[in-house]
Amino acid sequence: MNRIIWTWLRVMAAGLMIVSSTQASFESLVVIHTNDIHGHIAEAGQSAGIARITALVNQTREHKKHVLVLDAGDAISGTPVSTMFNGSPIFEVMNLVGYDAGGLGTHEFDHGFARIALFRDIATHPVLAANAFAPDGTLIADAPFLIREIGNMQIGIIGLITADTPRMITPIGNENLHFADPTLTARDLVRVLRKQVDLLIVLAHLGHEHEKQLAIDVPGIDLIVGGRSHTLVHRPVRIGDTWVVQAHRYGSHVGYLEIEVDTKANRIASFDGVLIPARDLPAPDKHVMNVVAAWDRRVSEIVDVKIAESDTAFTTEQTRTLLENIIARSAGTPFGYYNLGGVRDVIRKGEITVRHIWSIEPFGNKLVRVTTDGATLKRIITMDEDTHTASESIEPEEQYTFTTNSFVADQAKIRSPGKVKVEPLKELVRDVIIDHIRQYGIETPQQSGTSPSISTSH
């Protein structure tokens, strides 16, 4: 086990309280959980907004004795207010919820890992990750885990992030980081902590399928609060003695769990949970609503500007195709490629504003022209389980030139060194999209068709 983790275990063990056997053996606990907020602090569309989430937490704490509020990471990146201010406002606003702990997500690395230190300073709750390490070997998060005393309960909370993080984040500002295997890390921590706590929770930014596998591979975890995959888990999933939950994304739902803990047996005596959709949350907390509105006013003049009308709503795949067509035309290449994970919203029917385009492409990626061979191109456009239909027509030995975003190009250079020639085009992708739509309007999905046909560069 990493020496840093062992140090934490010794410190925490030294400070643990022993619960007297004369105390009540059963304690009730409510756990409220969120994940993948992605900067959606305002109420809009399916997003509840932080003011309504805060209202739920406040009302619950008024009526329930023991309440634990958790977030499983990816707080930032997805809205103009997050992007323009490099994520900081999101942590400031989320402080108003009263979180007890949060997990470190992959998108917390979007501005380079050094900025996570600022997020930690802003956040009034500890940010946890046991398996994420800086180049000098120190923890990137506040701590690998914590133990909270609530009533007569000792509650352990471990943070884990996917070991695939380097393939999911920009390499710029994130060089030489190390992400240990989350399963091995969890086994070590569970083995030591299990006897010291009544309830053991993992904040796992792994993706729902991997979180279910963690429950199988690491016995002794009571609850896994998940994130990253944006999975809508309507009812908690039980795997052995472990419960696995996840609450979709953007604050569209909030998880609400009622747990009875047997503190003598150190186990869950009863468990029930639901996802509360945004529409069913309490009315917004007025103070939080005003704070959110103040931040929104700082970006509104720039982004709340109409640029077009759309006669139809687009799916995510159709929105991707639209982006690919626009960037290909802008850079004068036969085709474009846009990673599906980089398309964070869709074109909707009706008025299209600058804000909509910022929500579709919130990362500030730049436009680049790439030349590579067909075998490498196929790896690029099918990386990270992206099922792009155009991959079927690629000839491995041919040379191809296409347009994409800087994230895809940077990842391609790392995964296929010496195989990829990248020509930066300076413009931001979203600026190119905005200018094109402002000038030419929105093509319907029928006009856009499928992705531009892939052809060679000669």
Side-chain angles (χ1 to χ4, degrees):
M1 188 189 299
N2 186 282
R3 60 182 177 80
I4 297 173
I5 306 299
W6 273 118
T7 300
W8 272 94
L9 286 168
R10 287 196 296 269
V11 170
M12 296 299 289
L16 281 175
M17 291 184 60
I18 303 300
V19 179
S20 170
S21 61
T22 61
Q23 294 172 323
S25 61
F26 290 92
E27 290 273 17
S28 295
L29 176 71
V30 172
V31 176
I32 295 175
H33 64 92
T34 59
N35 58 274
D36 298 278
I37 295 294
H38 282 295
H40 288 74
I41 56 176
E43 183 177 359
Q46 294 184 336
S47 302
I50 296 300
R52 295 188 72 176
I53 296 174
T54 303
L56 172 67
V57 171
N58 290 344
Q59 288 187 17
T60 304
R61 283 181 166 150
E62 287 176 8
H63 296 97
K64 299 290 185 179
K65 188 176 181 181
H66 304 315
V67 181
L68 188 67
V69 186
L70 304 172
D71 180 77
D74 273 7
I76 72 166
S77 294
T79 61
V81 72
S82 180
T83 302
M84 286 187 188
F85 297 99
N86 297 329
S88 296
I90 310 310
F91 283 93
E92 290 188 17
V93 173
M94 288 179 70
N95 282 342
L96 303 175
V97 176
Y99 284 99
D100 293 284
L104 187 65
T106 53
H107 282 281
E108 270 69 77
F109 292 84
D110 282 353
H111 306 287
F113 87 94
R115 191 164 182 83
I116 293 173
L118 176 61
F119 298 155
R120 289 165 49 193
D121 287 342
I122 294 171
T124 54
H125 60 267
V127 177
L128 306 177
N131 62 323
F133 300 93
D136 63 359
T138 59
L139 281 172
I140 294 173
D142 284 311
F145 65 91
L146 63 86
I147 297 177
R148 285 288 310 274
E149 181 186 2
I150 300 180
N152 294 323
M153 295 173 284
Q154 297 291 343
I155 300 175
I157 306 169
I158 299 169
L160 294 174
I161 188 171
T162 175
D164 289 335
T165 296
R167 298 195 301 111
M168 300 174 180
I169 61 178
T170 174
I172 308 303
N174 292 312
E175 298 85 358
N176 301 316
L177 305 182
H178 172 62
F179 297 86
D181 185 293
T183 301
L184 297 180
T185 303
R187 281 178 182 158
D188 287 339
L189 289 173
V190 170
R191 184 170 58 248
V192 177
L193 294 175
R194 181 67 266 182
K195 295 179 181 179
Q196 303 176 22
V197 299
D198 302 299
L199 186 71
L200 189 54
I201 300 172
V202 173
L203 293 178
H205 198 78
L206 306 178
H208 186 55
E209 293 305 315
H210 293 285
E211 288 147 12
K212 290 192 293 184
Q213 189 63 47
L214 182 69
I216 296 170
D217 294 339
V218 187
I221 301 170
D222 294 306
L223 171 64
I224 297 175
V225 177
R228 194 183 81 75
S229 57
H230 302 181
T231 308
L232 187 62
V233 184
H234 287 286
R235 299 286 296 181
V237 177
R238 185 172 186 176
I239 299 175
D241 292 327
T242 304
W243 295 91
V244 183
V245 298
Q246 195 174 141
H248 202 212
R249 63 181 182 181
Y250 307 163
S252 69
H253 295 74
V254 176
Y256 189 95
L257 312 175
E258 293 185 327
I259 306 173
E260 189 89 2
V261 179
D262 184 342
T263 59
K264 284 187 177 179
N266 304 112
R267 65 178 182 85
I268 291 177
S270 67
F271 187 102
D272 194 18
V274 296
L275 288 187
I276 304 174
R279 64 179 180 273
D280 294 337
L281 292 175
D285 178 280
K286 290 184 179 179
H287 170 65
V288 178
M289 188 168 57
N290 289 338
V291 173
V292 170
W295 275 111
D296 201 56
R297 284 194 293 272
R298 297 178 67 174
V299 304
S300 181
E301 186 175 328
I302 297 172
V303 300
D304 290 327
V305 178
K306 179 180 177 180
I307 56 174
E309 290 267 351
S310 177
D311 295 332
T312 188
F314 285 53
T315 65
T316 301
E317 188 64 59
Q318 289 168 338
T319 301
R320 190 243 286 261
T321 298
L322 178 68
L323 299 189
E324 290 176 334
N325 279 317
I326 291 175
I327 63 176
R329 292 169 189 169
S330 173
T333 61
F335 65 96
Y337 167 70
Y338 215 92
N339 55 312
L340 195 59
V343 182
R344 307 307 291 222
D345 204 346
V346 295
I347 297 292
R348 293 181 172 82
K349 184 176 181 179
E351 182 178 274
I352 303 298
T353 66
V354 170
R355 184 186 291 270
H356 290 132
I357 308 306
W358 276 71
S359 294
I360 291 170
E361 202 295 300
F363 305 117
N365 288 317
K366 293 182 178 180
L367 203 67
V368 297
R369 191 182 289 122
V370 173
T371 300
T372 190
D373 62 86
T376 303
L377 172 59
K378 193 162 187 174
R379 286 196 295 271
I380 291 171
I381 69 174
T382 57
M383 67 181 182
D384 301 329
E385 301 179 357
D386 189 353
T387 54
H388 200 294
T389 56
S391 65
E392 298 174 1
S393 63
I394 298 172
E395 296 294 334
E397 303 301 324
E398 296 287 352
Q399 288 289 304
Y400 295 86
T401 296
F402 63 100
T403 310
T404 187
N405 61 65
S406 52
F407 170 80
V408 169
D410 289 340
Q411 286 288 338
K413 286 192 293 184
I414 292 173
R415 300 187 197 192
S416 303
K419 297 279 189 177
V420 180
K421 177 184 175 182
V422 178
E423 180 186 354
L425 300 177
K426 296 183 180 179
E427 301 102 323
L428 294 179
V429 170
R430 64 167 168 263
D431 289 345
V432 169
I433 302 299
I434 290 166
D435 290 344
H436 182 95
I437 291 175
R438 183 181 276 128
Q439 184 173 357
Y440 299 107
I442 295 282
E443 293 180 339
T444 66
Q446 292 73 25
Q447 291 170 324
S448 295
T450 58
S451 299
S453 59
I454 290 182
S455 58
T456 60
S457 58
H458 56 270

